[in-house]
Structures are given as structure tokens and as C-alpha cells.
Amino acid sequence: MSEFPARDEPLLSVRDLVTAFDTDDGQVVAVDGVSFDVEAGKTLGIVGESGCGKSVTAMSLMRLLPQPAGRILGGSARFQGEDLVTASEERMRSIRGAEIGMVFQEPMTALNPVHRIGKQIGEMLLLHEPLSKAEAWQRSIELLKLVGIPAPETRVGEYPHQLSGGMRQRVVIALALACNPKLVIADEPTTALDVTVQAQILDLLRSLQKRLGMSVIMITHDLGVIAEMCDEVVVMYAGRVAERGSVRDIFGNPQHLYTRGLLESIPRLDSPRKQELTTIPGAVPPLSEMPVGARFAPRSSHPEVTAYLESASFREERPVLVEFAPGHWVEDCRYVRAFEGEMTK
Amino acid sequence: MTTEPSLKRSLLEVRDLRVHFPVKEGVFSRVNRFCKAVDGVSFSIRPGETFGLVGESGCGKSTLGKAICRLLRPTAGSIEFEGNALQSLSKSGMRPFRRDLQIVFQDPAESLNSRQTVGEILEEPFIIHRLGSEAERRAKVTALLDRVGLAKSSVSKYPFEFSGGQRQRIGIARAIALEPKLLICDEPVSALDVSVQSQILNLLMELQQEMNMSYLFIAHDLSVVRVLSDRVGVMYLGKFVEIADGDELFSNPLHEYTKALMSAIPSTDLDAVRDRVILRGDVPSPIDPPPGCAFARRSPIEVSEEEASQPGDFVEVSPGHWVELHPATVRDYERYITPSR
């Protein structure tokens, strides 16, 4: 059975994406065969801890890998029928911003400190659309209004440093939406913000998506953000997809031990106080020492995992994803999957 | 304004503490204005207790932590540690108290000397305080490493050779080396991944049990504070807006800001029904805070400008539960006003 049954073609379809970096210690593979689909108008979340490859996945899709160290070694990313992996640099320049918008963690890195906000949004518009400067300025004001910036007529003439962190992130969202993109890639868009501001920005993203109907790829380490924002979820561990499914599958019936561990180790507002928290023992192996087999196995609590770690299968066989339930995929290795008699606190 | 009364047998007593930073402006760096980072804070910590301090960036929580262990000089107010006034002590005057008052920082990479081995870092407190022979110090270091879950071989390694979570273990080992009575933890887990975060939180809870330390636990993450704290104080723009026992605060928050903070946390419970309190606008600057109630203009309870410009009262509405009482901060606030006040 094919991993992806035939249906209406998704907006973005990523298959077996492999991205590597040249380092002093040789080549390291940061994204190792990642596949997922983003449906039109839906939000896909990519979640995992530092170094799992979630941001590199986004950078690969935008073809913004640091040069010359980063390279896509294989796979495809079909966006409206066009492969982003093999598209020309020139073609990518017109896709970026116009058809795919981007929102990054730190708004100050996305904004130019020496230009007025109106000029920056205007430049983006002029690059992709036949407008006069005055029209572009006017559209900038409309966009600032759209993202909920008070007094947009004044703000449009200000510089980024005159705005608060939350307001800056709204400007970045306005920039990302300027040309009505079909897809917005948001990489940790609220991580640098305080919780109350984060709540405002997530609200804004949700309402904009409802109005404009774009698809969103939401990359975050925060499972709470995923639960609130996403339709589909990809859980990444050490460069690979550990589990993939609808938000109900992932939160309601997680099948990978890593997903379970993540969900259980988050302190919650209703956690009892002074009680030991569940942890995932051990640590992620360094990129240069990644095993071929199930990468989570060295941290697994499965009773027979020791035998697996010593087996040829762990050294040589890469597990595939299997469909546990319709649309719910999990790494096919019983030592990293939920097992009978598993201890859950 | 009423303040939280002294607790019996408290280890630390902070009274009306203020830390104001001069704002240098213009070509001549003239000082006309002050950034009121901490602006009249009072609270106490009992022996063995964890006091959780929450608030968003710029609310003054870290400044408060640094002032208490006298890495900063307070502008006014008092800090009493076991009955000794710390607020105006000199560097050398503070030395005898340093043993009992330690701090763990957010970013262990910045607080550890990168040119020292872990062994040297952990031995230093014993050398400074002239404790033990060389052999005794070495033994102590090995025991410390073991206690925080690091291999003995770590002694000869440098901080950069460790992951973020392991570096935080080194930071904790150094802070507890001299068995302090009060440990100030300033965002100790906010730079860490969730699976590592829970390991460090467990370690902090175990150490507290074993050594009977008090913690001042500073964090922006309410759920982390929830797990560790006996009592919790919520700070907004340099002041406490609510202080209560942890269970009480989380089950019965009264201040609209506390409610907003709690409801803003994205929940992993898909079926949670939530009543999200969304605040208006942004946190005002502590340089020119708005007159009167600092929160009134952001509160979902709208009040007239005249009302907003009146300050609230910090009052005890039930035993141990203190809140800034103002028409804009507490719903049905009249019912908390008692005739005696």
C-alpha cells in the first residue's frame, strides 16, 4: 500500500527530503528522509526539540540553506505541481514572498532597522506586483490594519525599533501576507514573545487564515501551540519523522514513545505540585553518530530494547513509517512504539 | 498601601524594595528619568519553602532576584536575611552571607567560566571560603558531580563540552556546593528543551528535599512555577499584583492579569473549554509608568480614565491571598472591600 493514497493533489507534497551540512567533522545529515503533505487551507505543525531538523526542513523548502555548507541531497517538494528542490534560483525568488510567505522567530532579523515599515512592505509589493509607489504605501497601510496594528497611518512611517516585540511580529506577518501567498511558513513565530502577546499573535494567525484561506506550516517546539493551531502534525526526532497524523491522533492516541514522552514531560497547570515529573531518559545522539536503525531506541523503555540495540537490524535497517490507523503513521519498529504494560505516570 | 505582613520565622524578608535605574539621555548623558524596574515590593520566604515569582519580560522579576542576592544595589527598601539587613552592605560585608545565598542563572553557558575545567569551577567556592584541605575539596567536588547526575570524568572537561542540560547541572552543582539556605533560580529551565527541562526540575525538587533549602523560583512559565512552588507571586511592571498559596492562586485567581497569564498558556488538552482573557495593547514602559493602576488601561474590565489614574490597594482578601484591589483589576471588587480597611 502506498504511503499516500491518491486524492486531490495537496498544495505542498514533500517526499523523502534529505538535507545535509558540510562540517569540519565531515558531512552530517540534518533532515533524513522527511515526507508530509500540506492540504490547501489547512495548518500542518512540525514539532520536535532543538536539533531535530524542523527548521532545516523549512529552510530547505524555501531553498534558504546557509551556503555553501547546506545542501539538499535528495527528495522532492512539489508545490502546486512544481518541484521546489529543483526549481531555478530565479524561479525561487519569485515564489518566495509572493506564493510562499515566511514568518521567523525573531522579528528584528526579518525587518530592516534603517527603513520605514511602509517602505519595507512596499518593496515586497513592488517586487511582485505592478503598483505605483503611492499605491504600495496605501496597500501597506491596509495590511497593517489587517494584522491589527493600531493607528496604521502613523505606524506605516515608523521604524521597527519604535514598535514593541508583538507589534514587530505583526509587521512581519503583514510582510508575509503582502502578496496573498498560498502558503505561509512560520518558524517558531511566537517563541520570543511573552505568553499574553503569544496568545494575541496566535489569535491573529487563526483569524487571518479563516479570512484569507492560506495554508500554514507551523514549526514549533511547543506542543501547546501545535494543539491549538494545527490540523495535521509531524513529530520529528533526530532528523526523521517519528510519527505523523491528525492533531487528534497525536494528542489523543500517540503511538511513538517519543511523542508520549514529550506529552508527559510538559508540566501543566493542573499538575499536582511537588510531584516528580516524567522525563525521557538520556539525550539525543550527536548528528555525527546517528544510528541507521530507530534513532529513539537508545532512550526507549521497551523491555526488549537492549537486544535490538545489539542487533544487526539496529545497525543496518532503517525503519519505515506504517499506517497505524487511516492517516496516522508511525515509525515501524516495535521497540520505539507504545507497548503493552507500558508504565505511564 | 498595605503590604504583606511579616511571616513568622521567615528566612527572607523583603520590605518595600525599589530598584531604579537612571536613564541616560542626550549627548551629555544627562539623567532626567528613572527606569523603575522594581517599585515597592514586599514579601517573605520561609525556611524550606519555594516562592515562585512569575511575570513577563520587563516586569522586574530578574532585577528583584539580583537585588536580593545583592548583585545589584537596591535604591530603597530593606532585605532581611535571617534578621540581618543586606540592603546596604558592601561587597566585603556581603561575603559572610554569600555562602547562604546563591543563584542559578538562565544561561549556564554565560555564567560558567569557559576557561576553567568543571573541577576548578566547582572547587572555587570552597577555596574562596577557605574550606577543607585540597583532598577534602576534591572529594566534595566528586560528590557534587555525582549528586547532580554528572560523570566523575567531567572534572577535567570544559563547559563547552557539555549539552545545555548538563551545563545547567554544573551551574546547580556550583550553587549548592556550600549548602546555601536560599537558592535564587532565575529562569533555570527556560533555555532547555521540554524533555531536559523536566529532568532539571526533578533535580531541583530532590535537592530541596534533601538539603531543606528555600527557593526563590523566577520564571515566565506559569506551569513550571505551578509544579515547584508553595506560594506564588505575580509581578507586573515592578510590583506584585497577586500573592497566594500555589493551589489557591491556580484554582482561584482574582487579578485579571493573573487570569490572562493562565489562560494564555496554549493547552495540549484538545477538549479544554477555555475562557481566554486577551489583554489590550502592550506592557507599558517602566520608565514612564502610567499614573495610578498600571494595569487598568490593559484590563478587559474597562474603567474611566479617572478611575484608572487612582492606585489600587494591595490587600489580603482571604488568609494568605493578597491582591491589588482596584475596579479594573478584580471582578466585583466591592465584595472584597471590608469596612475595617
Side-chain angles (χ1 to χ4, degrees):
Chain A
M1 185 174 61
S2 152
E3 191 183 330
F4 294 91
R7 56 178 159 183
D8 286 352
E9 182 147 324
L11 181 73
L12 173 74
S13 189
V14 178
R15 290 291 172 280
D16 305 315
L17 186 72
V18 179
T19 301
F21 289 91
D22 292 322
T23 70
D24 293 342
D25 305 325
Q27 192 178 61
V28 294
V29 176
V31 174
D32 189 17
V34 164
S35 304
F36 57 83
D37 284 345
V38 183
E39 305 291 337
K42 299 280 183 189
T43 300
L44 173 98
I46 306 183
V47 66
E49 298 180 287
S50 350
C52 73
K54 57 190 190 301
S55 289
V56 179
T57 302
M59 290 310 210
S60 306
L61 296 178
M62 300 303 302
R63 294 262 305 276
L64 287 174
L65 293 167
Q67 294 301 322
R71 245 178 317 147
I72 299 176
L73 296 187
S76 64
R78 295 191 76 77
F79 174 68
Q80 306 186 91
E82 185 176 7
D83 189 359
L84 299 176
V85 170
T86 54
S88 70
E89 192 45 49
E90 198 192 339
R91 178 71 191 121
M92 282 311 295
R93 269 198 297 273
S94 65
I95 290 177
R96 272 182 229 129
E99 287 165 61
I100 304 181
M102 289 169 285
V103 179
F104 296 105
Q105 175 173 348
E106 184 40 70
M108 268 323 254
T109 59
L111 297 174
N112 188 330
V114 302
H115 289 312
R116 295 177 196 280
I117 284 151
K119 183 170 180 205
Q120 301 191 44
I121 303 177
E123 262 177 6
M124 174 72 94
L125 291 164
L126 291 171
L127 199 61
H128 297 290
E129 285 173 37
L131 292 174
S132 73
K133 274 197 176 169
E135 284 169 335
W137 190 264
Q138 202 49 46
R139 276 279 296 278
S140 305
I141 296 174
E142 285 162 24
L143 281 161
L144 291 182
K145 205 173 188 175
L146 178 74
V147 296
I149 289 186
E153 297 82 5
T154 325
R155 292 299 190 181
V156 75
E158 291 187 343
Y159 293 91
H161 74 265
Q162 293 173 282
L163 303 179
S164 68
M167 285 296 153
R168 277 182 211 143
Q169 199 58 298
R170 285 176 192 261
V171 172
V172 174
I173 292 170
L175 258 174
L177 296 176
C179 302
N180 283 322
K182 298 245 168 42
L183 174 67
V184 170
I185 300 182
D187 189 356
E188 303 271 9
T190 57
T191 306
L193 305 175
D194 279 316
V195 280
T196 56
V197 184
Q198 165 170 290
Q200 294 169 352
I201 297 290
L202 293 181
D203 251 24
L204 172 69
L205 280 172
R206 252 193 306 255
S207 72
L208 286 173
Q209 188 175 24
K210 211 176 266 173
R211 269 167 76 179
L212 307 174
M214 76 273 189
S215 303
V216 176
I217 298 182
M218 176 71 80
I219 293 167
T220 176
H221 69 283
D222 188 332
L223 282 159
V225 172
I226 294 276
E228 293 212 345
M229 301 292 293
C230 300
D231 303 296
E232 298 281 316
V233 186
V234 174
V235 181
M236 283 185 75
Y237 182 77
R240 290 182 186 163
V241 176
E243 184 165 7
R244 193 180 72 216
S246 72
V247 72
R248 290 254 156 226
D249 294 336
I250 300 298
F251 288 88
N253 191 15
Q255 288 303 308
H256 200 287
L257 290 180
Y258 178 60
T259 315
R260 292 190 168 219
L262 272 186
L263 281 167
E264 281 163 18
S265 51
I266 318 172
R268 303 156 52 114
L269 272 187
D270 54 7
S271 312
R273 77 166 110 153
K274 305 254 173 167
Q275 207 169 80
E276 197 185 342
L277 296 163
T278 310
T279 62
I280 304 175
V284 184
L287 278 177
S288 49
E289 292 164 28
M290 283 298 175
V292 177
R295 289 182 169 170
F296 188 70
R299 304 175 74 182
S300 164
S301 52
H302 194 283
E304 294 152 42
V305 74
T306 328
Y308 171 65
L309 291 174
E310 285 158 8
S311 70
S313 151
F314 178 63
R315 284 190 303 274
E316 292 155 17
E317 277 172 46
R318 178 190 170 140
V320 292
L321 293 184
V322 288
E323 195 167 22
F324 167 79
H328 185 177
W329 296 79
V330 59
E331 202 172 14
D332 188 18
C333 168
R334 65 191 190 96
Y335 307 102
V336 294
R337 288 177 57 176
F339 52 88
E340 205 147 310
E342 181 190 335
M343 285 281 293
T344 44
K345 280 189 192 167
Chain B
M1 183 187 274
T2 341
T3 51
E4 201 197 12
S6 305
L7 296 161
K8 277 181 196 134
R9 299 172 293 106
S10 58
L11 177 74
L12 179 81
E13 285 263 1
V14 175
R15 285 285 153 262
D16 200 26
L17 196 72
R18 287 162 206 269
V19 186
H20 295 179
F21 298 107
V23 181
K24 290 177 183 158
E25 286 167 306
V27 231
F28 301 109
S29 298
R30 259 196 302 241
V31 176
N32 290 324
R33 301 191 294 170
F34 289 86
C35 171
K36 297 171 179 172
V38 175
D39 200 25
V41 157
S42 304
F43 73 109
S44 1
I45 302 180
R46 302 185 190 99
E49 177 186 55
T50 299
F51 188 92
L53 183 55
V54 285
E56 298 181 284
S57 354
C59 73
K61 57 192 191 301
S62 286
T63 306
L64 177 58
K66 284 181 184 147
I68 288 169
C69 63
R70 285 301 318 278
L71 295 175
L72 281 173
R73 198 186 177 84
T75 315
S78 68
I79 305 163
E80 263 186 33
F81 183 74
E82 296 193 299
N84 304 290
L86 304 185
Q87 67 273 12
S88 48
L89 287 180
S90 65
K91 225 176 168 181
S92 59
M94 263 309 285
R95 193 160 297 149
F97 299 103
R98 289 260 173 253
R99 270 187 82 164
D100 291 332
L101 207 58
Q102 289 285 328
I103 185 163
V104 174
F105 293 100
Q106 170 174 0
D107 188 350
E110 274 177 37
S111 61
L112 301 173
N113 185 339
S114 56
R115 288 159 190 253
Q116 283 184 323
T117 63
V118 170
E120 285 163 353
I121 290 171
L122 296 184
E123 207 181 330
E124 204 169 60
F126 299 102
I127 296 173
I128 292 172
H129 290 272
R130 304 203 173 88
L131 299 169
S133 66
E134 199 175 328
E136 282 165 346
R137 293 199 299 260
R138 293 277 153 83
K140 280 274 193 191
V141 168
T142 317
L144 272 174
L145 283 173
D146 185 54
R147 184 59 206 88
V148 298
L150 291 170
K152 283 190 181 65
S153 59
S154 309
V155 165
S156 53
K157 289 188 184 166
Y158 290 89
F160 73 87
E161 295 178 75
F162 295 88
S163 68
Q166 288 171 321
R167 275 201 292 259
Q168 196 54 288
R169 288 177 193 268
I170 300 169
I172 292 170
R174 184 182 56 180
I176 62 163
L178 301 175
E179 299 176 15
K181 292 177 179 150
L182 175 64
L183 189 63
I184 297 172
C185 303
D186 188 1
E187 301 267 12
V189 296
S190 22
L192 305 174
D193 275 321
V194 281
S195 68
V196 183
Q197 170 177 302
S198 50
Q199 294 172 1
I200 298 293
L201 292 176
N202 282 346
L203 174 66
L204 284 170
M205 287 192 275
E206 286 163 29
L207 290 171
Q208 182 172 40
Q209 283 262 304
E210 286 170 30
M211 303 169 63
N212 197 34
M213 287 179 281
S214 299
Y215 287 164
L216 174 61
F217 191 88
I218 304 169
H220 68 277
D221 186 334
L222 266 175
S223 18
V224 168
V225 165
R226 161 81 187 146
V227 171
L228 264 91
S229 308
D230 297 295
R231 285 189 306 137
V232 178
V234 181
M235 259 182 105
Y236 183 77
L237 216 66
K239 291 189 171 86
F240 277 119
V241 295
E242 190 159 9
I243 297 178
D245 170 88
D247 289 338
E248 164 75 7
L249 187 84
F250 289 101
S251 60
N252 184 28
L254 291 177
H255 201 286
E256 286 298 307
Y257 182 63
T258 311
K259 291 184 189 170
L261 276 184
M262 284 174 58
S263 72
I265 302 172
S267 164
T268 53
D269 183 355
L270 297 180
D271 300 314
V273 186
R274 50 173 56 221
D275 213 351
R276 183 161 273 169
V277 180
I278 299 260
L279 299 182
R280 293 176 280 159
D282 288 307
V283 183
S285 157
I287 295 176
D288 278 318
C293 170
F295 182 70
R297 291 150 194 95
R298 295 191 68 204
S299 176
I301 310 175
E302 296 198 28
V303 295
S304 68
E305 182 54 36
E306 196 195 329
E307 270 181 304
S309 60
Q310 300 295 317
D313 276 332
F314 199 60
V315 297
E316 190 174 24
V317 293
S318 62
H321 192 156
W322 291 75
V323 66
E324 180 202 8
L325 205 54
H326 184 280
T329 60
V330 178
R331 297 224 175 249
D332 309 323
Y333 90 113
E334 290 93 349
R335 71 187 164 111
Y336 297 102
I337 301 175
T338 50
S340 62
R341 284 203 177 87

